[in-house]
């Protein structure tokens, strides 16, 4: 069925509302062009907007290793129950639960606006990170195709870029990323924190499964591109066993990941309520444990984080991920917020030392490249 035929037009337009709830068309979204609902994406409504700006300045004092971000989508059909970005949807008068998964805002003119922004004399060509809030390669990107022109606009302007995603649709743009990496430093990161297909389907139901993401890592490395992995979140009592961690780091090493960052589940307000409802429903025997472990805060206890740090360092070393990149819990008394700023080797362009030249293709059976890579943090 044609996408345009599914448009839910705003009040006053002559289009057919197709019986859609009036509330959908009445959303006070700045720049709203139309809302679309289609059987291809059952249960999801896309709100197409025109943005005035797409470059977002990271707040002063942030620990993030970049100053600018782009989020072509708001909300995410990956529907990860632990997603830290859920509360950001409330800024659009959506809720942080089901609305975050099912009401997706699409900045349809993102590349056009970006080209104007990076052409300004004031633009200093600082590293721009994509995928820091919601995934730029969620399923709808196959329809909207915003990323190719965004990548092109950044590379053509001489702007270093990085991408973090769970979406295997990234494979579509590997040739474009190789071309961009010949122009500017490029970092690529994949988010993958478990190898259990069943657990992944339960906790992140809209994402490609772990096997598919492992294959994507290998494809990126075979293409000569770097690929760090954000192994977050490690879920207490669900994915933190020795068996689970051994499988995770062993699989990442075999796939050829250039570095790994790992850390415990982070439950900021908005995410906490949604996740705790999910735990109580799906794993009721763990609900009390989670309440005690997290108390009234967003972070697991210092004792748990120190224990997990030790297990992660053990399995990282066992599978060849040595060095200081990733996982910030070297001292359990450190500020746990530092964990959010740890990005693995390969995921951030190495602009300080000049362009990051992509590594050699990964050998058959995997292979590690840490010894040849500089430490990012």
């Amino acid at each position: 069925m044609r996408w345009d035929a599914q448009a839910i037009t705003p009040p006053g337009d002559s289009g057919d509302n197709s019986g859609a709830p009036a509330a959908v068309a009445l959303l006070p979204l700045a720049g709203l062009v139309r809302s679309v609902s289609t059987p291809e994406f059952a249960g999801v409504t896309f709100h197409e907007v025109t943005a005035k700006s797409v470059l977002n300045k990271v707040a002063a004092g942030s620990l993030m290793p970049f100053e600018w971000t782009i989020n072509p989508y708001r909300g995410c059909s990956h529907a990860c129950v632990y997603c830290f970005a859920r509360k950001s949807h409330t800024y659009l008068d959506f809720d942080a639960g089901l609305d975050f998964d099912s009401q997706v805002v699409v900045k349809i003119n993102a590349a056009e606006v970006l080209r104007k922004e990076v052409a300004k004399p004031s633009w200093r060509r600082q590293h721009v990170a994509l995928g820091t809030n919601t995934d730029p390669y969620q399923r709808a990107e196959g329809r909207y195709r915003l990323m190719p022109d965004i990548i092109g606009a950044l590379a053509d302007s001489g702007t270093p870029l990085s991408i973090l995603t769970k979406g295997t649709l990234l494979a579509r743009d590997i040739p474009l990323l190789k071309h961009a990496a010949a122009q500017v430093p490029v970092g690529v990161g994949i988010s993958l924190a478990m190898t259990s297909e069943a657990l992944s389907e339960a906790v992140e139901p809209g994402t490609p499964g772990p096997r598919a993401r492992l294959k994507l890592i290998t494809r990126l490395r075979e293409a000569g591109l770097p690929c760090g992995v954000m192994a977050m979140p490690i879920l207490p009592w669900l994915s933190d066993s020795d068996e689970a961690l051994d499988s995770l780091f062993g699989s990442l090493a075999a796939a050829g990941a250039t570095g790994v960052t790992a850390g415990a589940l982070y439950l900021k307000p908005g995410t906490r309520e949604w996740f705790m409802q999910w735990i109580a429903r799906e794993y009721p025997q763990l609900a009390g444990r989670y309440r005690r472990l997290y108390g009234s805060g967003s972070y697991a206890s210092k004792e748990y984080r120190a224990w997990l740090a030790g297990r992660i360092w053990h399995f990282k070393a066992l599978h060849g991920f040595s060095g200081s990149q990733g996982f910030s819990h070297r001292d359990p008394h450190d500020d746990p917020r530092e964990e959010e700023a740890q990005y693995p080797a390969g995921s951030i362009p190495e602009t300080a030392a000049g362009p990051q030249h992509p590594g050699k293709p990964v050998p058959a059976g995997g292979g590690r490249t840490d010894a040849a890579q500089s430490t990012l943090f």
Side-chain angles (χ1 to χ4, degrees):
M1 191 172 293
R2 292 181 62 242
W3 187 272
D4 288 348
Q6 306 307 304
I8 306 167
T9 54
D13 286 5
S14 59
D16 177 11
N17 281 350
S18 303
V24 174
L26 290 170
L27 288 169
L29 290 171
L32 179 64
V33 175
R34 64 174 183 171
S35 296
V36 178
S37 181
T38 172
E40 182 184 357
F41 294 87
V44 181
T45 299
F46 299 97
H47 304 285
E48 299 176 357
V49 302
T50 53
K52 293 182 179 180
S53 175
V54 295
L55 282 169
N56 308 304
K57 187 76 166 67
V58 175
S62 170
L63 296 172
M64 294 295 110
F66 42 78
E67 295 185 51
W68 296 91
T69 66
I70 296 174
N71 291 293
Y73 300 92
R74 300 283 298 273
C76 186
S77 62
H78 282 340
C80 304
V81 296
Y82 54 75
C83 183
F84 73 91
R86 286 184 171 276
K87 190 174 181 180
S88 66
H89 227 42
T90 64
Y91 309 152
L92 303 175
D93 291 328
F94 291 120
D95 67 51
L98 186 59
D99 282 354
F100 182 84
D101 305 336
S102 62
Q103 305 293 325
V104 178
V105 177
V106 185
K107 301 173 186 177
I108 56 175
N109 65 334
E112 176 186 352
V113 172
L114 176 61
R115 284 196 177 274
K116 293 178 180 178
E117 291 181 309
V118 296
K120 293 179 180 179
S122 58
W123 177 241
R124 296 171 56 195
R125 297 177 177 82
Q126 296 162 288
H127 165 211
V128 174
L130 297 111
T132 60
N133 194 55
T134 55
D135 202 313
Y137 283 101
Q138 56 183 286
R139 275 186 62 216
E141 170 60 17
R143 166 62 177 79
Y144 285 103
R145 298 185 62 86
L146 301 180
M147 286 297 290
D149 287 341
I150 289 174
I151 294 168
L154 292 171
D156 291 347
S157 69
T159 300
L161 66 116
S162 65
I163 297 170
L164 177 63
T165 183
K166 290 185 177 79
T168 52
L169 185 59
L170 173 69
R172 178 199 68 191
D173 293 342
I174 285 177
L176 180 59
L177 285 169
K178 290 181 65 176
H179 179 72
Q183 300 173 270
V184 297
V186 170
V188 182
I190 301 300
S191 178
L192 178 59
M194 62 196 73
T195 57
S196 168
E197 297 286 333
L199 180 58
S200 176
E201 186 175 353
V203 78
E204 44 191 28
T207 66
R211 284 193 296 269
R213 277 177 271 170
L214 287 167
K215 290 179 181 177
L216 175 61
I217 293 168
T218 300
R219 287 190 64 181
L220 287 162
R221 299 296 294 125
E222 288 175 343
L225 291 163
C227 184
V229 173
M230 296 288 281
M232 294 183 174
I234 303 298
L235 303 173
W237 302 293
L238 292 175
S239 62
D240 63 351
S241 68
D242 281 1
E243 180 183 8
L245 295 174
D246 186 41
S247 175
L248 175 62
F249 289 107
S251 297
L252 295 178
T258 50
V260 185
T261 291
L265 174 68
Y266 169 51
L267 293 177
K268 67 185 295 185
T271 302
R272 178 189 176 96
E273 296 80 2
W274 189 248
F275 182 85
M276 288 300 193
Q277 289 177 28
W278 179 84
I279 278 287
R281 183 177 66 251
E282 301 296 331
Y283 295 92
Q285 73 277 17
L286 297 180
R289 288 187 180 186
Y290 269 87
R291 287 193 296 269
R292 290 188 293 273
L293 183 63
Y294 283 84
S296 59
S298 300
Y299 298 93
S301 69
K302 290 181 180 179
E303 293 77 14
Y304 177 83
R305 288 187 282 112
W307 171 82
L308 182 61
R311 302 317 298 151
I312 284 176
W313 277 115
H314 170 76
F315 287 108
K316 285 183 68 173
L318 182 64
H319 292 289
F321 292 105
S322 58
S324 62
Q325 70 272 14
F327 209 84
S328 66
H329 295 153
R330 293 179 291 280
D331 180 348
H333 300 291
D334 286 347
D335 185 343
R337 290 175 300 175
E338 292 183 6
E339 178 178 312
E340 303 162 46
Q342 303 298 308
Y343 276 65
S347 64
I348 298 292
E350 296 179 1
T351 55
Q356 178 179 5
H357 298 293
K360 296 179 180 179
V362 61
R368 301 291 304 118
T369 60
D370 288 284
Q373 295 216 5
S374 60
T375 300
L376 294 178
F377 302 102

